[in-house]
Amino acid sequence: SPQNIDVLIIGAGAAGLMCAANAAARGRNVVVVDHANKVGKKILMSGGGRCNFTNMEVLPKHYLSANPHFFKSALARFTQWDFIALVLKHGVAYHEKKLGQLFCDNKAQDILDLLLDECAEAGASIFTHCDIKTIEALSAEHAPARYKVATSLGDYLCESLVIATGGLSIPTMGATGFGYQVAEQFGLALKPRTAGLVPFTLSPTQLEQFKDCVGNAAEVTVTCGTQSFTENLLFTHRGLSGPAILQISSYWQPGQNLEINLLPQLDLVDYLTRQQQERPKVLLTTLMSELLTKSIAQSFCSFVTEIRPVNQYTPKEIQAIADLFHKWEIMPAGTEGYRTAEVTLGGVDVDGLSSKTMEAKNQPGLFFIGEVVDVTGHLGGFNFQWAWASGFAAAQFV
Ligand code: FAD
């Protein structure tokens, strides 16, 4: 016979566990189910195993959504300081790496343990190896129960049903389109989904041009449309990666060019003009190898008609050399896709959800939280902060 509970949460990841702990702390009878063999796999693999769990500065500009106001309410009601307070409560050692990014000193497991301890303390139950078969909205006569969920572990009747099944990235870690199917079943709109925070691939010709640069990095400013990021770029054997590239990938559409400034901290015309006076006999490649790795300097110098001592270039030629390094235009062939993407852009259309409760406007008792929603953060701890904040918001109303 079906089990009667208050809240069923599908997905024991960042958002689901956060919601479970807080709903149970309100005295709600909460069950979390996950189809994977263990919970929180993405937390464990995040931040290179150290989990970049939040950021010192969380602003609207760090998020993408069809409605750039939707996420503000939840983020304001559960801030990075609230999560840091939890981290301190559990004695998890952490540090700021760069750009406000907070990481565990030891391992990501510390963050998962924190969530599981909070769930245990509040009395939320968690079950793995649970496949969802069907979801049915119940008629009013079953109140307070509103949903019947048939699972491989038995049937549940619940008042609130929370979908926290995440996005499509890294299918080998258990990612599925389940949350989007539930949204469609109940008539919620979806925004198109694509891989975000993902490396770019290059064409065979482009790869040949930059083959000597593989493994080399530079701090660059990469621009696509009106968006720019200054961070590291890494040449790989398949294309371009590194934080600057992952960030801009969330703003890139197929067919668009990237403009990359390989020396954003320097005015190269100015610099080379000064070198013409100070070190006139030094070869251009030698000078450029002082500013960038030797392989990057040589690969880009190969686009210069002739390598000469620096004093033998005209001002016009110096300008052209500077443009090569300051305004490198490249059109990626594509992205690596969900196989390596950190996030999924798009998802459940926020117009169909309450920004206060995360509940579907047309479907009382059905909630969507975390990455399944059309809210995507930049690299730097912003995706977890959204998972914590949206999970906490829903927890107050389930
Ligand atoms: P998830 O954490 O993905 O949890 C979803 C859960 O639902 C999973 O446990 C899954 O097994 C379960 N599930 C899925 N389908 C079903 C189904 N059909 N039935 C039952 N259960 C199901 N973000 C940061 O902020 N900082 C980082 O350092 C960072 N590093 C990352 C590194 C990598 C390699 C990746 C892939 C992502 C990283 N992210 C990072 C992004 C972050 O992990 C996600 O945005 C976040 O985990 C989303 O939380 P969620 O709870 O919505 O989904």
Side-chain angles (χ1 to χ4, degrees), residues 129-142:
H129 298 94
C130 178
D131 290 317
I132 309 302
K133 294 175 182 164
T134 56
I135 299 175
E136 196 188 320
L138 301 172
S139 54
E141 78 230 36
H142 295 89

Side-chain angles (χ1 to χ4, degrees), residues 158-278:
C158 60
E159 187 179 343
S160 297
L161 176 62
V162 182
I163 308 301
T165 46
L168 295 167
S169 58
I170 325 271
T172 51
M173 283 290 128
T176 68
F178 178 82
Y180 311 123
Q181 288 162 30
V182 176
E184 283 185 320
Q185 180 187 341
F186 291 101
L188 280 93
L190 296 176
K191 289 291 179 192
R193 282 132 290 153
T194 50
L197 299 180
V198 63
F200 287 125
T201 54
L202 295 178
S203 71
T205 319
Q206 291 167 325
L207 287 175
E208 179 61 27
Q209 277 177 334
F210 301 107
K211 66 173 190 300
D212 294 338
C213 298
V214 172
N216 284 243
E219 199 193 72
V220 306
T221 297
V222 53
T223 304
C224 184
T226 57
Q227 195 72 31
S228 295
F229 293 95
T230 299
E231 255 275 26
N232 275 326
L233 170 149
L234 176 70
F235 290 88
T236 71
H237 63 285
R238 295 176 55 88
L240 301 175
S241 190
I245 291 299
L246 300 185
Q247 295 282 37
I248 207 73
S249 73
S250 295
Y251 292 86
W252 178 80
Q253 303 286 331
Q256 272 187 306
N257 266 334
L258 306 177
E259 185 178 297
I260 299 174
N261 183 347
L262 288 161
L263 291 165
Q265 319 294 0
L266 191 82
D267 179 337
L268 199 53
V269 170
D270 196 57
Y271 180 79
L272 290 177
T273 309
R274 267 190 289 122
Q275 299 307 306
Q276 290 184 314
Q277 305 302 320
E278 291 168 19

Side-chain angles (χ1 to χ4, degrees), residues 11 13-15 34-35 46-47 52 164-166 170 176 178 342 370-371 381 383-384:
D34 199 297
H35 70 157
S46 69
N52 178 194
T165 46
I170 325 271
T176 68
F178 178 82
E342 274 199 19
E371 198 181 318
N383 284 299
F384 280 133

